[in-house]
Amino acid sequence: MSATSLNRAAIDLLFKVLEARGTQIAGATLTEYFPRAAETLLASGLLAARGQVPVVAAMDAHEDEPIPAVWSPERKAFGYLNSVGRWMEIEENAISAYQVDHARMFAAMLMPFERQGTAKIAPLIPDHLWDIGAIRIAGAKTPVPVWFGRRLGDLHVWSQVGVLVGRRPATDRRIILTSTRGDRLPAAPDRRHALVAVEDVLETPDRLAISPRVLAARVYPEQVQRRYPIDHSDDFGTVWLRDETFEFRGDKHRKLLEQLFGAYWAGTPVLRVTLALAEAGFSDKTNSLSKAFSGRDDWQKFIRQSEGNCWIEV
């Protein structure tokens, strides 16, 4: 299996592991909660065993506290004694500790790009930020340096990134890719930095490879050829209305905008609000555009609603 040919569930699990507070996940957790996605990631090599976590939850009715698993030379297996003294055997992979193979993941994400120099990975903030080299990208005269960070929505981690950026400012442009969801990201440090959620710029939702065209539009939005008076980026994360730019980082927002623009360009712009919201993945409690776009009202500059309908109007 190619490292980039996965499925949506496997990619979602990969990002969940990356965004977890720790850097390891127990085999028992993978087996119990994400069996199929974990199997795909393990087969791809993106998730690999790195040591063991010999602690389990007892599997009888009287104990639910974590207890240590021990090796039995006689049985040649790991296990523990339950509350009545019975030996309970544990599969070894259940206490294995798994980690993301960062080098393999970076290679998969940047496979569509021409990489400058050696693909050497340099840790910048232990376990949270890496310098993963430079890539050639449309719109740039020279290769653009790329960093990758995890948990950038964490204030402590982000403050460390800010300090590092101050010490190592970008000379032209720098891309900071991240496993953090787009709607949880802070603002980029300055105009020279493009802060991009990887899941927002993949070529397809089931392939761990970044689209050069979509990434270029994120890094150099001023170079994108646009329709007038309104247009949008390929991922619907950016909307241009005359001389204004609107950014939408949430996956559900982009899916909603995809529906609205699809109807707009097709010449049949009117959609039912509740149906459009449900199709975008919003819960039943989110039954209006005001709730969907809670905290902002700029969308009203190009989206209209009336009597349960919504449409784009400029």
Side-chain angles (χ1 to χ4, degrees):
M1 175 185 295
S2 167
T4 59
S5 181
L6 302 169
N7 55 55
R8 181 62 183 265
I11 292 176
D12 287 347
L13 175 57
L14 177 67
F15 291 149
K16 281 186 174 71
V17 175
L18 286 165
E19 288 298 295
R21 187 174 298 275
T23 60
Q24 295 181 324
I25 185 169
T29 302
L30 294 173
T31 301
E32 183 173 356
Y33 295 102
F34 315 100
R36 294 185 179 179
E39 182 180 2
T40 301
L41 281 182
L42 290 169
S44 73
L46 288 168
L47 204 59
R50 296 285 189 273
Q52 294 175 326
V53 184
V55 176
V56 296
M59 301 298 289
D60 61 36
H62 305 289
E63 297 183 36
D64 57 8
E65 294 295 324
I67 61 174
V70 297
W71 174 256
S72 170
E74 295 81 12
R75 298 177 175 86
K76 296 183 178 180
F78 283 94
Y80 63 93
L81 295 176
N82 68 7
S83 57
V84 296
R86 181 183 176 187
W87 174 259
M88 306 295 292
E89 187 170 314
I90 303 168
E91 292 187 11
E92 188 170 352
N93 67 345
I95 59 172
S96 293
Y98 292 89
Q99 286 184 318
V100 173
D101 186 324
H102 294 98
R104 185 181 291 269
M105 180 185 68
F106 298 150
M109 291 190 308
L110 299 180
M111 189 179 297
F113 297 87
E114 178 185 345
R115 301 180 72 175
Q116 181 70 17
T118 61
K120 186 177 180 180
I121 301 169
L124 300 172
I125 299 174
D127 294 327
H128 287 94
L129 188 70
W130 296 263
D131 182 339
I132 60 176
I135 59 174
R136 293 194 175 277
I137 187 172
K141 296 180 180 179
T142 59
V144 180
V146 182
W147 291 357
F148 178 89
R150 56 179 286 269
R151 293 183 59 79
L152 298 190
D154 182 288
L155 292 178
H156 178 65
V157 175
W158 186 242
S159 66
Q160 293 182 73
V161 175
V163 171
L164 183 63
V165 167
R167 292 175 179 172
R168 298 178 56 176
T171 55
D172 185 11
R173 291 288 175 98
R174 178 187 285 144
I175 301 170
I176 303 179
L177 299 173
T178 179
S179 51
T180 305
R181 279 173 32 187
D183 58 349
R184 295 180 178 176
L185 287 175
D190 53 51
R191 290 181 176 275
R192 293 185 175 183
H193 286 83
L195 188 56
V196 182
V198 171
E199 68 175 352
D200 291 348
V201 292
L202 294 177
E203 289 185 329
T204 62
D206 58 354
R207 188 166 182 264
L208 191 63
I210 293 173
S211 166
R213 181 167 53 88
V214 176
L215 183 61
R218 283 295 187 93
V219 179
Y220 297 101
E222 69 276 6
Q223 297 184 14
V224 177
Q225 295 295 317
R226 299 195 289 268
R227 289 169 285 193
Y228 189 86
I230 194 168
D231 203 358
H232 54 81
S233 60
D234 289 343
D235 65 345
F236 300 92
T238 303
V239 173
W240 297 282
L241 176 62
R242 298 182 177 88
D243 59 349
E244 293 185 271
T245 300
F246 307 88
E247 298 289 344
F248 297 91
R249 295 177 175 177
D251 185 55
K252 294 174 185 176
H253 286 163
R254 296 197 309 275
K255 288 180 180 178
L256 176 60
L257 290 169
E258 182 177 5
Q259 295 179 70
L260 285 165
F261 275 108
Y264 176 77
W265 298 123
T268 54
V270 179
L271 301 176
R272 293 296 294 173
V273 172
T274 54
L275 293 178
L277 290 173
E279 184 68 23
F282 288 96
S283 68
D284 293 339
K285 294 181 180 180
T286 306
N287 54 12
S288 69
L289 294 182
S290 297
K291 290 182 179 179
F293 291 104
S294 177
R296 61 188 297 178
D297 58 10
D298 53 356
W299 56 273
Q300 297 179 29
K301 292 186 176 182
F302 60 94
I303 299 176
R304 302 286 184 268
Q305 59 180 334
S306 177
E307 299 181 347
N309 297 315
C310 59
W311 64 94
I312 288 177
E313 181 178 303
V314 292

